[in-house]
Amino acid sequence: MNIFSAQKIYEWEKFTLQQDKISALQLMEKAAKCCCTWISDRFQTSTEIYIFCGSGNNAGDGFALARLLCQTGFNVKVFTDSSKKFTEEAELNFQRCKEISGIEIQDFSAFKQLKNSENSIIIDALFGLGLNRKIEGEIAAFIDLLNDFPGTKIALDLPSGLFADGNQEEDAVIFQADYTLTFQLLKKSMLHSETAPFCGEIHIMDIELNREFCQENPSDENTIDDRLIQNIYKPRKNFSHKGTFGKSVLVAGSFGKIGAAVLATKAALKAGSGLTFVLAPKCGYEILQTTCPEAMFISGGENEIENIKVEDEYTVGIGPGIGTSSATEQAFLKFLKTSKKPLVLDADALNILAKNPENFQFIPKDSIITPHRKEFERLFGKTQNSFERTVLAQKKAAEMGIFIVLKDHHTQIITPFGTVFYNLTGNPGMAKGGSGDALLGILTALLAQNYSPQNATIFGVWLHGKAGDFAAEKFSQEAMLPSDLINELGNVFKALNKKSSQET
Ligand SMILES: NC(=O)C1=CN([C@@H]2O[C@H](COP(=O)(O)OP(=O)(O)OC[C@H]3O[C@@H](n4cnc5c(N)ncnc54)[C@H](O)[C@@H]3O)[C@@H](O)[C@H]2O)[C@@H](O)CC1
Ligand SMILES: [K+]
């Protein structure tokens, strides 16, 4: 699914009004209806509803919603500044609201007299996409007051004070929503760690903007949706054999960190690698042969990796638990300089690279690197915030011709062509040592199975998150382990297969 800037969303709205021959007022009514249905499906009509309306079309949505909720049987109070000039659609909906005797319309100041009520809903229709500067003065103080009020807080389209497209100033005043009912598509600020928490749980309201617009206006920023995954996924054909599914080598482990090699190898096996090898130090021999009997062992040294010899036809993933000793560093750099095929690089492989950026030039084109925030900083330097980090990653991915997987709550995949894919699967239960090792194994296995580097990266990151979601469902976010995630890969493939067979 595309992510559009506020500017592009306005253009999309205009396009829809022209193509579908509907009015802005009708579109606003549709938006308000979606929100009314969402609220009435979840809350009893005994809940008091307070709606706060600014002066733009976000307020128009608020006025229309007030009318619809009142007609559904809720007790609704509207707070606004009626001395302000409303937009045309907001004014029309304001007038319609006034005609309904059941709705009390008051000035913002009247809100201060209200008794606190836990059993109430506060709806923020102050500012939406049209926010064009930081909120200050009286409105800022008012939003602070709303944030302190008990009860459920719902933002329409965006929490007031949050810009759709980017970062905020640190002291910005923003409505703290429990739920955000956002129209048509996610906005960029809903996907970054500094800004997304203001939205609470996000629900997309499908207001049926005309989809032809997306074909004519492809975006550089996208979220990974089920349709994209189903298009990438290649179900297995009969008569295939183990050679069809590639040969993966995981270069991993050192004394005390053989577990990292076990996790990466198991993940590669469970992600469908045809033949799997693990190149690890000899101290891991028995552990690996016992825990991963399906994988073949290649010795890379005694207690750490000192030598990496791999045949050209193999797909190689390097990094988990290898450490950064000088012997391992030399072995890794020697191997890197002779590598031609795309590699998957994580953890200590990235830490070794970060020591000397001169070595970046040896990373084969189309390789995949999977840094978390700290590893990214070590490689490419600090940025002020995650928005700037994405931009820097776009620059580096293009310069180096590689795929960068920026691990985060919504992990981003950045392609060498500058496109960003935000992943929506996964959960905080995966913030545990070993999750990254599993991801490296999955990515290596998919690359070995002939998924293109871009498809392997998108699919792998999605699979990893989805398996993590299945594991959290079974064991809880607290107790789930990376091995549980790996064991759930099978259930994710089963679900994908089922969907594929239903579609054909
Ligand atoms: N684009 C679409 O497809 C649709 C948009 N709709 C609604 O329309 C909204 C956008 O409406 P508008 O463009 O009228 O924008 P807003 O309703 O966000 O309000 C913008 C107004 O607030 C003022 N303003 C901006 N920042 C301010 C600040 N910091 N302090 C004080 N005043 C400030 C602006 O000067 C402008 O007058 C969306 O968020 C959504 O809720 C919906 O009705 C459905 C369809
Ligand atoms: K809002």
Side-chain angles (χ1 to χ4, degrees):
M1 190 190 278
N2 301 46
I3 297 168
F4 285 139
S5 65
Q7 187 52 43
K8 263 269 169 320
I9 299 173
Y10 285 123
E11 286 173 28
W12 193 5
E13 178 186 6
K14 227 166 141 191
F15 177 90
T16 305
L17 300 185
Q18 282 167 0
Q19 295 290 315
D20 296 358
K21 308 216 169 4
I22 63 166
S23 67
L25 197 65
Q26 284 168 319
L27 190 58
M28 190 174 272
E29 192 70 12
K30 214 185 247 187
K33 267 191 190 147
C34 292
C35 297
C36 180
T37 307
W38 189 92
I39 292 169
S40 47
D41 281 350
R42 284 163 184 81
F43 296 91
Q44 306 210 328
T45 47
S46 55
T47 321
E48 289 265 331
I49 299 195
Y50 308 133
I51 306 188
F52 299 85
C53 299
S55 59
N57 275 0
N58 196 246
D61 298 335
F63 291 131
L65 178 61
R67 168 172 41 82
L68 296 173
L69 286 170
C70 179
Q71 286 164 353
T72 313
F74 285 94
N75 188 5
V76 182
K77 286 190 172 64
V78 171
F79 298 86
T80 190
D81 177 358
S82 52
S83 68
K84 278 250 168 85
K85 185 168 169 31
F86 296 126
T87 54
E88 192 184 331
E89 290 79 21
E91 176 66 31
L92 282 165
N93 273 309
F94 175 63
Q95 293 304 334
R96 285 183 180 179
C97 239
K98 280 208 307 195
E99 286 160 16
I100 297 180
S101 59
I103 301 178
E104 251 184 82
I105 302 180
Q106 294 172 286
D107 193 76
F108 288 131
S109 56
F111 178 67
K112 292 179 191 152
Q113 265 78 61
L114 272 186
K115 280 191 277 141
N116 281 0
S117 154
E118 292 281 350
N119 186 29
S120 61
I121 296 178
I122 291 197
I123 296 183
D124 159 31
L126 292 166
F127 301 102
L129 285 178
L131 185 82
N132 53 21
R133 58 193 183 276
K134 186 175 158 184
I135 298 181
E136 286 172 314
E138 270 182 33
I139 322 177
F142 191 67
I143 291 178
D144 278 335
L145 191 76
L146 290 182
N147 283 343
D148 287 340
F149 198 81
T152 307
K153 300 189 182 71
I154 302 178
L156 298 190
D157 207 12
L158 280 161
S160 290
L162 193 74
F163 291 108
D165 304 334
N167 202 28
Q168 312 287 142
E169 285 177 46
E170 256 178 32
D171 59 347
V173 173
I174 301 169
F175 182 75
Q176 177 59 65
D178 297 306
Y179 300 97
T180 294
L181 309 185
T182 199
F183 302 127
Q184 196 68 37
L185 77 177
L186 292 174
K187 283 79 186 170
K188 189 166 162 180
S189 58
M190 298 178 171
L191 297 161
H192 281 258
S193 55
E194 296 90 345
T195 43
F198 288 101
C199 302
E201 225 177 88
I202 302 170
H203 294 263
I204 297 176
M205 304 286 112
D206 185 359
I207 56 169
E208 299 170 321
L209 294 184
N210 189 317
R211 289 190 189 276
E212 276 172 37
F213 182 84
C214 302
Q215 276 131 39
E216 291 170 24
N217 294 272
S219 156
D220 275 349
E221 294 165 326
N222 308 273
T223 53
I224 301 173
D225 55 26
D226 290 354
R227 204 163 36 126
L228 175 61
I229 292 302
Q230 213 66 47
N231 283 338
I232 292 176
Y233 171 57
K234 295 186 282 195
R236 295 200 164 190
K237 294 195 176 71
N238 291 337
F239 303 106
S240 33
H241 54 87
K242 64 186 175 201
T244 320
F245 304 113
K247 295 172 183 167
S248 318
V249 184
L250 289 314
V251 179
S254 56
F255 184 82
K257 290 184 184 162
I258 296 301
V262 173
L263 290 170
T265 309
K266 278 195 173 167
L269 288 164
K270 288 266 185 189
S273 164
L275 274 175
T276 309
F277 300 83
V278 49
L279 191 154
K282 269 190 194 151
C283 64
Y285 176 73
E286 282 179 25
I287 303 167
L288 281 157
Q289 289 290 80
T290 318
T291 52
C292 311
E294 297 86 352
M296 283 157 277
F297 185 88
I298 306 172
S299 169
E302 284 300 321
N303 288 315
E304 60 187 14
I305 289 170
E306 294 159 359
N307 193 3
I308 306 175
K309 268 214 186 96
V310 175
E311 286 178 36
D312 287 348
E313 62 185 305
Y314 294 1
T315 303
V316 186
I318 313 183
I322 60 173
T324 56
S325 76
S326 61
T328 304
E329 180 177 332
Q330 277 178 29
F332 169 57
L333 292 176
K334 189 172 163 206
F335 173 74
L336 191 66
K337 287 175 188 172
T338 58
S339 297
K340 304 262 177 327
K341 276 179 72 171
L343 302 170
V344 187
L345 302 174
D346 184 38
D348 287 328
L350 301 180
N351 292 331
I352 293 173
L353 281 167
K355 288 187 195 175
N356 182 4
E358 291 269 304
N359 291 321
F360 293 177
Q361 60 181 305
F362 302 117
I363 304 176
K365 293 274 167 290
D366 284 337
S367 289
I368 305 165
I369 68 168
T370 58
H372 57 54
R373 203 175 300 184
K374 279 270 167 273
E375 285 162 350
F376 183 83
E377 277 180 10
R378 278 182 221 128
L379 283 165
F380 304 122
K382 276 195 178 63
T383 53
Q384 291 291 321
N385 54 58
S386 69
F387 294 89
E388 288 181 13
R389 191 158 52 240
T390 306
V391 174
L392 179 60
Q394 282 173 291
K395 186 169 164 264
K396 293 294 173 188
E399 267 172 28
M400 295 163 68
I402 58 169
F403 292 84
I404 300 181
V405 174
L406 257 178
K407 290 191 269 199
D408 207 333
H409 178 61
H410 292 304
T411 290
Q412 295 153 45
I413 292 151
I414 292 127
T415 74
F417 323 104
T419 311
V420 183
F421 292 90
Y422 288 85
N423 183 50
L424 304 179
T425 58
N427 64 79
M430 293 160 67
K432 212 167 251 180
S435 282
D437 307 334
L439 178 63
L440 176 117
I442 295 170
L443 293 172
T444 309
L446 295 176
L447 208 53
Q449 287 169 82
N450 261 329
Y451 282 95
S452 69
Q454 173 156 322
N455 284 349
T457 316
I458 294 173
F459 188 28
V461 169
W462 180 90
L463 260 180
H464 182 247
K466 194 74 174 175
D469 289 343
F470 281 18
E473 188 72 34
K474 264 197 188 156
F475 301 107
S476 82
Q477 291 186 2
E478 286 78 3
M480 66 172 275
L481 297 177
S483 0
D484 297 324
L485 177 162
I486 294 168
N487 287 331
E488 286 303 317
L489 283 168
N491 285 326
V492 182
F493 280 117
K494 267 166 84 175
L496 283 172
N497 256 307
K498 197 167 162 200
K499 236 174 161 184
S500 287
S501 56
Q502 279 165 355
E503 279 170 13
T504 50

